[in-house]
């Protein structure tokens, strides 16, 4: 480790994307600290993690988390802040004035983040650019809700404006179910949801971009989602690197409209009825299959830290195609159990059979990360909220 290299604080250490970031930065010589509301985390047990800090939960106690983070930044000035999930990113942006004098960061403006995090605003932005996306409405009254259903037919999708993975999404088949789902999602999330035209499950593709402080693309990467849990609408459990420059171009156009800086992932799904790719949402944060991009040659965390420190980097647009990442624990194992199929999966559930596939937690080079995952499972076996965190995209 070089003595002059600044420390990096990686938040949300329970998530496997945080483990990927810790491994990346630790291998490059950066002293890495992780933060989470528990000590039992994959990233915290990684050989590449220097310190583990216990923090309040950014989801359950955002005010306490903000106070804690500002205090830490003042005590240890010069840290590079890498908030990894939506709640922690939001708090960093809300407290940017307090944090900026003591920390390095490359993040979007709060206004840009709010637009990207709002699925309805994302759909509106995409439509204004002429991009294909499902018909979407945010009803202000029940009459508007029923009019949209009448015009578009069932099934329809009731979707929270702010959520990750499949959390809160309801597929409804009739008017009674629509009314009930609309009321339930409103109650669960504290705001009315949007209603979206249903697209039958199809191929899902994701484009990830890192935008520098001047609005230029510093790195781009595209992946195909191979398997999911839950099977039809859940986060991916296996991914494959692919080449799709047209999706990178669309993602750049959309993020440029939002004035984006920093990291983001844009998602599409192919409509099997007409074969057209339709934009679904923006993830204004790191995504949980981050390991695949790093494995394929696009080291987003390392580039992100270097840009946050004011360094110039050569744009990275070329990477290895056909690489695969699997999340065996727990996602892909749950996929196999749900489809009642262990043999015959490609890539296989266990091992590689000669395919370029790696697990994003299990690693002989960093075995204690898996121990941290198992400890977190044992510690929070009955905590539904913690399991949602472990399963999310």
């Amino acid at each position: 480790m070089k003595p002059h290299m600044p420390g990096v604080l990686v938040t949300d250490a329970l998530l496997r994307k945080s483990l990927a970031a810790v491994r990346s930065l630790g291998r490059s010589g950066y002293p890495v600290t992780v933060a989470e509301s528990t000590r039992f985390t994959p990233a915290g047990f990684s050989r590449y993690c220097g310190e583990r800090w216990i923090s309040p939960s950014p989801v359950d106690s955002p005010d306490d988390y903000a106070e804690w983070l500002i205090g830490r930044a003042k005590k240890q000035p010069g840290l590079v802040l890498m908030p990894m999930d939506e709640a922690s990113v939001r708090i960093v942006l809300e407290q940017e004035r307090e944090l900026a004098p003591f920390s390095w960061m490359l993040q979007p403006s709060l206004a840009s983040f709010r637009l990207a995090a709002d699925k309805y605003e994302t759909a509106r932005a995409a439509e204004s650019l002429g991009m294909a996306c499902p018909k979407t409405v945010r009803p202000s009254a029940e009459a508007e809700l029923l009019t949209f259903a009448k015009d578009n037919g069932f099934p329809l999708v009731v979707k929270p404006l702010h959520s990750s993975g499949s959390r809160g999404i309801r597929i409804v088949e009739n008017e009674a179910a629509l009314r009930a789902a609309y009321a339930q999602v409103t109650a669960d999330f504290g705001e009315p949801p949007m209603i979206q035209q249903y697209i039958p499950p199809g191929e899902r593709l994701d484009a990830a971009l890192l935008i520098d402080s001047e609005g230029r693309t510093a790195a781009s990467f595209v992946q195909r989602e191979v398997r999911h849990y839950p099977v039809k609408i859940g986060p991916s459990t296996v991914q494959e690197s692919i080449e799709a420059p047209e999706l990178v171009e669309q993602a750049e156009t959309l993020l440029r409209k939002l004035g984006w800086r920093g990291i983001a992932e844009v998602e599409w799904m192919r409509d099997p009825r007409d074969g057209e790719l339709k934009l679904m949402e923006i993830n204004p944060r790191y995504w949980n299959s981050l390991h695949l991009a790093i494995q394929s040659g696009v080291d987003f965390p390392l580039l992100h830290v270097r840009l946050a420190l004011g360094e110039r980097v050569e744009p990275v647009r070329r990477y290895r195609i056909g690489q695969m990442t699997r999340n065996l624990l727990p996602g892909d194992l749950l996929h196999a159990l749900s489809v009642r199929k262990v043999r015959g999966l490609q890539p296989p559930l266990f091992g590689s059979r000669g395919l370029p596939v790696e697990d994003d937690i299990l690693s002989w080079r960093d075995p204690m990360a898996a121990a941290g995952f198992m400890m977190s499972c044992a510690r929070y076996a009955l905590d539904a909220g913690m399991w949602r965190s472990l399963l999310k995209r």
Side-chain angles (χ1 to χ4, degrees):
M1 183 185 302
K2 299 177 182 178
H4 66 276
M5 297 184 82
V8 182
L9 174 60
V10 175
T11 69
D12 306 285
L14 267 174
L15 303 179
R16 63 187 192 271
K17 59 187 171 185
S18 301
L19 172 61
V22 167
R23 285 170 168 169
S24 159
L25 297 169
R27 284 194 299 264
S28 297
Y30 286 93
V32 184
T33 299
V34 300
E36 186 54 88
S37 56
T38 172
R39 292 186 182 278
F40 303 107
T41 67
F45 276 66
S46 170
R47 62 181 288 192
Y48 300 104
C49 175
E51 292 187 61
R52 287 177 285 173
W53 292 349
I54 304 299
S55 72
S57 166
V59 175
D60 299 330
S61 305
D63 292 340
D64 292 341
Y65 186 88
E67 182 180 355
W68 172 87
L69 185 60
I70 293 168
R72 280 291 187 177
K74 289 180 178 179
K75 287 180 182 178
Q76 294 191 234
L79 279 175
V80 181
L81 299 184
M82 287 197 69
M84 299 298 293
D85 212 37
E86 201 158 312
S88 53
V89 173
R90 185 186 303 274
I91 291 169
V92 165
L93 297 181
E94 290 173 344
Q95 304 300 327
E96 183 177 10
R97 183 174 297 180
E98 295 287 338
L99 293 168
F102 307 99
S103 311
W104 300 95
M105 66 182 86
L106 172 63
Q107 299 294 333
S109 68
L110 183 57
S112 294
F113 173 82
R114 285 173 171 163
L115 288 172
D118 187 315
K119 292 178 172 56
Y120 177 64
E121 293 297 337
T122 295
R124 288 184 61 193
E127 288 177 352
S128 74
L129 294 168
M131 296 179 179
C133 58
K135 292 181 181 177
T136 304
V137 67
R138 186 185 182 189
S140 57
E142 185 174 282
E144 189 178 356
L145 175 72
L146 300 180
T147 298
F148 184 81
K150 182 179 179 181
D151 292 344
N152 292 277
F154 290 97
L156 292 171
V157 181
V158 180
K159 185 181 289 187
L161 301 183
H162 306 90
S163 69
S164 297
S166 59
R167 181 171 173 258
I169 295 176
R170 308 283 194 275
I171 299 174
V172 297
E173 301 283 351
N174 53 58
E175 186 177 304
L178 175 61
R179 292 173 188 264
Y182 184 81
Q184 185 63 58
V185 174
T186 299
D188 290 347
F189 289 83
E191 60 183 354
M194 68 184 198
I195 312 300
Q196 202 165 58
Q197 179 188 36
Y198 174 76
I199 297 179
E203 181 183 38
R204 300 190 219 174
L205 305 178
D206 315 316
L209 272 69
L210 175 62
I211 310 297
D212 70 15
S213 61
E214 297 177 9
R216 298 172 300 198
T217 300
S220 60
F221 174 78
V222 183
Q223 66 180 21
R224 177 176 69 91
E225 301 182 12
V226 179
R227 294 199 288 265
H228 305 82
Y229 182 80
V231 175
K232 290 186 177 181
I233 62 171
S236 59
T237 63
V238 176
Q239 309 82 25
E240 179 183 17
S241 60
I242 66 170
E243 188 174 24
E246 70 281 4
L247 294 188
V248 172
E249 184 177 348
Q250 280 195 49
E252 288 175 324
T253 300
L254 181 59
L255 293 175
R256 191 179 303 119
K257 181 177 178 62
L258 302 180
W260 195 259
R261 301 292 185 270
I263 199 80
E265 184 198 49
V266 184
E267 299 184 2
W268 288 263
M269 185 163 71
R270 192 176 302 280
D271 190 334
R273 298 168 299 186
D274 58 17
E276 186 175 29
L277 280 171
K278 295 183 176 175
L279 191 142
M280 303 303 290
E281 65 182 38
I282 298 173
N283 290 317
R285 50 167 172 79
Y286 277 97
W287 55 101
N288 249 350
S289 54
L290 171 61
H291 176 72
L292 176 61
I294 299 170
Q295 171 193 345
S296 302
V298 187
D299 197 334
F300 282 107
L302 178 59
L303 293 168
H304 198 166
V305 166
R306 290 182 60 195
L307 288 172
L309 291 168
E311 299 179 25
R312 296 190 69 86
V313 302
E314 288 297 317
V316 180
R317 292 182 178 268
R318 298 178 63 86
Y319 48 88
R320 290 182 291 278
I321 305 300
Q323 300 293 305
M324 293 184 181
T325 290
R326 175 183 54 222
N327 172 231
L328 178 63
L329 301 174
D332 210 31
L333 186 59
L334 291 172
H335 170 93
L337 292 173
S338 67
V339 300
R340 300 181 181 180
K341 183 178 182 180
V342 174
R343 296 182 179 180
L345 292 174
Q346 289 295 327
L349 186 63
F350 303 104
S352 65
R353 296 180 190 169
L355 295 172
V357 57
E358 293 183 6
D359 195 89
D360 54 13
I361 293 180
L362 302 175
S363 170
W364 290 114
R365 298 185 297 273
D366 191 19
M368 289 304 294
F373 173 82
M374 298 306 294
M375 289 181 189
S376 67
C377 291
R379 172 66 176 81
Y380 296 100
L382 301 179
D383 188 328
M386 196 63 74
W387 277 102
R388 282 195 294 269
S389 293
L390 292 173
L391 286 169
K392 73 190 296 186
R393 178 174 284 119

